[in-house]
Amino acid sequence: MAASGAATAARTGGFTFDPASTLPWAVPLMLVLPLGAFVLALSGVRTRRSAANMAMLGAVATLLDTLLVAWGLAKQTKPFLATYSYINLTVAFSGPVNFQGFVINVLLRVDHLTLVALLVVEICVVGALGWSRVMGRSEPAAARFYGLVSIFLFGCAGTLVSYDLAELFAFWGVTGAATYLLLAHRWGADEVSRSTRVALALPFLTDLFLLCGISVLYSRYGAQVLDSLIPVLHTTPNWTVRQLVVASILLFVGIAGRLALWPLQSWVTATAVHAPPAASAMTQASWSVLAIVVLYRVMPIFAASNVQTLRMCVYACAVAAVVAPVIALLGNEPRRAFARIGSGVAAVGAAVVIHGFGIPGSTFAVAGIACVLAAAPARTAAILAVSGISQAMRTDDMSEMGDAWRRMPASAIALLISGLVLGLSALGALTFAVQSRTWLGVALGEAVLLVSLGSLRIFLSTAIGPLRRRRAFEPDRVRDVPAASLGWPYWMALGGAVLAGASLVRGWLDYLDGNKHPAPSSGTYVLWLTVVLVGFAAAAIAYARNKDGALRASARIGALLGSLVGAGIAIVDRFVFSPVLDITGRTSEWVPAGDGELGRAAVASGRFAAALTRAPTLPLLILLAVLLAVVVGLLTPGVFR
Amino acid sequence: MKFVSLIASAIHAASPSPTPIAVAGAGIFTSSLLMSLMIWVPVLMAAAIATLPNPRGRFDTLMKQIAFFTNLGLVFVLFVAYNQFQNFLPNMQYEEKVPWLPAIGAVYHLGVDGPGMVMLVLSGLIGIVSVLASLGIRERVRSYFCLLLLTQACINGAIVARDMFVLVLFWGAAMIPIALLILGWGGPRREGAAWRLVGYWGLGLAALVVAVMTLYSATGGTSFDMDVLLKSTLSPRIQLAVGVAVIVAAATRLPLFPLHGWARDVYADAPVGVAVVVASTASRLGAFLLLRVLVGAEPVAAQLLSPLVAALAALTVAYAGLAVLRATDLRQAAAYLALVPGGLTVLGLAALAPLALAGSVLSLFSGGLAAALIVGVCATLSDRAQSRSLHVLGGLAPRMPKLAWLMVLSALALLGVPLMASFLAEFMTFFGTFKNQPVGGFAVAAGLAITAIALAILLHRVLFGSPNPDAPGVSDASLGETWYLALLAGALLWVGIFPSGPKVPGTDLPLFDPGLVNTMGAGLPDLAAPYTGPTQ
């Protein structure tokens, strides 16, 4: 009887699990897990395999935890908030109340958009790690590399869940430092070291812009938490449009640097060939997601400034969206080309986000994010796939590559799918957000066409035609990458395809930002799809007819562009940097020389004074009296003149 | 006899410290002479070392141990004082006041507030670090450590002095042992370095004397006490004169462009332990003086001169970054890099906003550590690589992994990367600066960008890239060298990660560190009061 009672109770009560109840510990765990993996790697791990396993464990655990949090938040519309105190300092007892204290809290805010972005980043990191475990065997210092991947993931997670601008900048900086160390991983090579100077300096410069933008906002409003800052943008006494414009421009440049919008993309392209492929792939993809989400969050500040600011930012993004894929067509290095194509897609997404906030009442800004989210795994997959092909063919020049379709079919398919997804990733953004008959529609359509052309071009260059690389190795030994790493680019490309498809669905956008979005007409879908297909077709036709001619032309124009850029840099160096450095160097020499002379003069005067004390007094007094009389006589009128 | 009676009267007549409330660490050690201990214990131990017989260097190790344990003891005392420090009291704490020269109004008056406590903590840490960095000294060990302890005593005295006469004495006295240390144990250009130090710091001392005497005569000529001199209301003209003199004194000490001529040679040719002390506490005294006298006491002059001070800060940071690009000597490059934190500190003082001032105080600590770290790392690396020339050094990272990591950490600390204390200081400084000095803020940010480029190139040349086959043999840092550098880096990381101190889980009670940021807040609102504007 007791047993049946218990059974009844069990059937009635049952095991209930409310995933929302896990949020208070699952959300902070998203940060703790990668940090823990880093600390464990730092303290104990030494071998390559154990380092890779530790990093993978941390990344997979974080992914599972993120899925748990997503499950917990699935039915909730409000974001989850957790606050932990970091610093609380009283700096004044008088003056405006919002400037009397300084508080930074570790504020973790998780909503649907944050979770999806975090999942995309984690997928990219896991995929890159999985690929690197096999293909990255020749990389030096495995423990360092995989430890840095964990801290990179920690920084990415922290950036995405931060709603306090100071906290956001802190995680942004951690991610930036880890990015530099990952990209500079191959310390022993001169070429690598030279290219990674840009990877430190340029993003640091743009990060300073971001810091300045946040500082300008704080200096006016005394607040850095977005939830409390945005409502008071126009109600704080003495606010001016000019300050908001300055802050918006600074924030935009800061974000554009990490989004790698042209012309700030050189930190990505300069390291695309020399950095470890896994590092290059995951950093490019992850930063595009981080930056676009942060852009979306700070857009209300831009919108509060003025229409001209928004318009200027949209112009900049549109220009970047067109120029980057154009440059991607010039030159024959596939990884650099993919970096530029990815930059173009990110620019399209950014333009849509900004454009969305420029139209009052519109909600399609989130379509720009959906575009970048779809592109991120595809970028990672593309770079990893083409890296595998480059390694097997032992060349980074597409004019020497070929026949990958036959020799490396799996990698070629992954490359094809990722290229197609990159081309299609912006389709949803254009469909929901842009009118085809506006200048923005024309510009972004042009950009998408060029992206499609560029991404398929790389596949066609590597997959079809004869393999021309002949020097120093036997081409028949070109085989596909090891099976353990084969699947990662393929599955990431498929993941990107799923996200690209989702970005075409209204419900996906509704889920991301919690707003209702009007469904576009089927004609709009067809129109933009046609643009993408035209790009693919153009690439197919050009390369099918004359692949070698196309590659020769792109190499020649790329070399010309490279020499023009080099000439420009040389001119700036000759007329700006070198003179400034010269002046500084001379100052560094003059100052010690000058004070050395001063010292010698002081010593000489001291010696003279000492000599004077040894001189006979009376003649000296007479001499001084005569000199004084002459001087007074000359100065006083009526004595000598 | 007079000296003994002075000591006796000090023991009996010193004002006791306020009774602390029960906090972690309270009651372990109480004394009304905490500040005097920080000054006179190193002097006594220096005298002990000086008089200890040392035939043929037999007791060299003992002398090093005496110096080390003296500093360790001071750090322990300091730790207790730090824990017992009352964060919310606006007045001076651990005060000691003994009449000294009543004819001229000089009083032996010591005490600390929040910023003073931060400087003392820095000094305590650097004391230990400088001894560890000096363990390699083999010649005239007795003299070396005697002078090192005297240096520390003078610096501590300048920090805790609450009487301008006492401050000037300690300020000037610090110059002598440092110059002797450089002259006796420095590198090839030690003579030039020592004389430059004396020349520039002498100029600064003269300027400080002018400022003090101006204040003294303007306030009636009865007392040198800071409670009198710095709390009197003076005419704008007097304030301006004092302000300019104080800026000159600070600029020679920190240093700031264009009065930085001593820094390159001193940091490049001083022994490592001395370079670390000079780069951190000795030079931070310049900014501390600016904070106390210009910002804290001469508000009219501070506001009038703030554009000049901001310009000096921006010029210093930009110049330092550019000079590193031209440097061909590793230690000279580090010397230029050590100027950057000073520029940031001064920017915050120029901004005259409460948050910027708080950032400046924190950057006294973080900047001192960062400057000491870069100077120490580069000095150790050049010693271990047996060359200072950037044409010779190259690709050292694989062969010197510990030093390579420490150099990267020092670069990140200089740039103010998150998780470092310098990040928080930089953050607070920039947040506060853009209110009043946006142009200065942008200029310093641009200078930081140049510094980042210069650091990237320096790291590439020295650590990365292919090794130079013509370079001499290299070896990684020894245990002692790693310890002292790691202490500096660890302190930066600790304050960066736990600025408010770790708490007992589930409570707000501090675990064993009340938090440097909380400590530095004592007295800060009073310093910032003239610059806050009307309450809204």
Side-chain angles (χ1 to χ4, degrees), chain A residues 31-232:
Chain A
L31 298 183
V32 169
L33 283 169
L35 185 62
F38 170 71
V39 170
L40 285 171
L42 204 66
S43 53
V45 167
R46 289 291 172 262
T47 64
R48 171 178 303 280
R49 188 175 289 185
S50 50
N53 289 343
M54 179 57 66
M56 183 61 94
L57 176 66
V60 169
T62 311
L63 179 65
L64 293 173
D65 185 52
T66 308
L67 288 170
L68 175 63
V69 172
W71 184 18
L73 274 181
K75 291 188 181 147
Q76 297 188 14
T77 51
K78 282 188 186 168
F80 175 81
L81 274 170
T83 308
Y84 306 93
S85 176
Y86 177 64
I87 175 175
N88 188 343
L89 177 66
T90 303
V91 295
F93 292 137
S94 56
V97 169
N98 46 346
F99 290 104
Q100 289 183 11
F102 182 63
V103 175
I104 299 179
N105 290 325
V106 178
L107 178 68
L108 308 181
R109 185 185 188 278
V110 180
D111 53 18
H112 294 162
L113 179 61
T114 309
L115 285 169
V116 172
L118 194 47
L119 279 170
V120 167
V121 167
E122 286 159 2
I123 287 167
C124 295
V125 170
V126 167
L129 273 175
W131 185 91
S132 178
R133 286 174 67 175
V134 179
M135 297 299 289
R137 274 177 299 207
S138 59
E139 298 289 347
R144 172 164 48 96
F145 180 79
Y146 290 110
L148 285 170
V149 171
S150 296
I151 202 74
F152 175 77
L153 183 58
F154 165 73
C156 290
T159 305
L160 286 171
V161 300
S162 300
Y163 234 63
D164 179 313
L165 289 174
E167 175 201 356
L168 184 146
F169 188 79
F171 282 113
W172 185 278
V174 168
T175 316
T179 303
Y180 165 66
L181 292 171
L182 280 169
L183 294 177
H185 181 71
R186 292 173 179 170
W187 285 358
D190 275 331
E191 200 47 61
V192 173
S193 303
R194 232 175 282 128
S195 63
T196 49
R197 276 186 233 167
V198 178
L200 176 66
L202 180 58
F204 184 77
L205 180 65
T206 56
D207 289 349
L208 281 177
F209 273 84
L210 185 66
L211 175 62
C212 291
I214 298 171
S215 305
V216 167
L217 285 170
Y218 182 85
S219 68
R220 180 51 49 206
Y221 297 98
Q224 74 260 16
V225 180
L226 287 170
D227 280 340
S228 50
L229 172 64
I230 290 168
V232 301

Side-chain angles (χ1 to χ4, degrees), chain A residues 86 89 94-97 102 144 166 169-170 187-188 190 193 197 200-201 204-205 208 211 214-215 218 581-582 588 592 595, chain B residues 196 200 319 326 336 355 397 405 418 427 431 434-435 445 449 452-453 456-457 460 464-466 496 500 517 532-533 535-536:
Chain A
Y86 177 64
L89 177 66
S94 56
V97 169
F102 182 63
R144 172 164 48 96
F169 188 79
W187 285 358
D190 275 331
S193 303
R197 276 186 233 167
L200 176 66
F204 184 77
L205 180 65
L208 281 177
L211 175 62
I214 298 171
S215 305
Y218 182 85
L581 286 177
D582 208 30
S588 305
D595 58 38
Chain B
R196 282 205 169 81
Y200 278 93
Y319 171 80
R326 283 284 303 232
Y336 291 123
L355 186 60
W405 266 113
F427 218 72
F431 267 29
F434 276 87
K435 204 170 164 52
I453 297 168
I457 294 173
H460 153 65
F464 310 148
S466 46
S500 300
V517 160
T532 54
T535 304
Q536 294 171 13

Side-chain angles (χ1 to χ4, degrees), chain A residues 336-364:
Chain A
R336 271 205 186 114
F338 268 127
R340 289 168 178 143
I341 289 167
S343 164
V345 175
V348 170
V352 167
V353 167
I354 301 171
H355 180 55
F357 277 87
I359 299 177
S362 69
T363 55
F364 57 73

Side-chain angles (χ1 to χ4, degrees), chain B residues 328-330 381-382 385-396 399 461-464 466-474:
Chain B
T328 54
D329 182 310
L330 178 63
L381 199 141
S382 60
Q386 301 184 71
S387 173
R388 294 156 57 148
S389 170
L390 293 176
H391 297 304
V392 171
L393 298 172
L396 296 177
R399 293 175 290 163
R461 282 171 90 169
V462 176
L463 297 181
F464 310 148
S466 46
N468 184 352
D470 299 327
V474 305

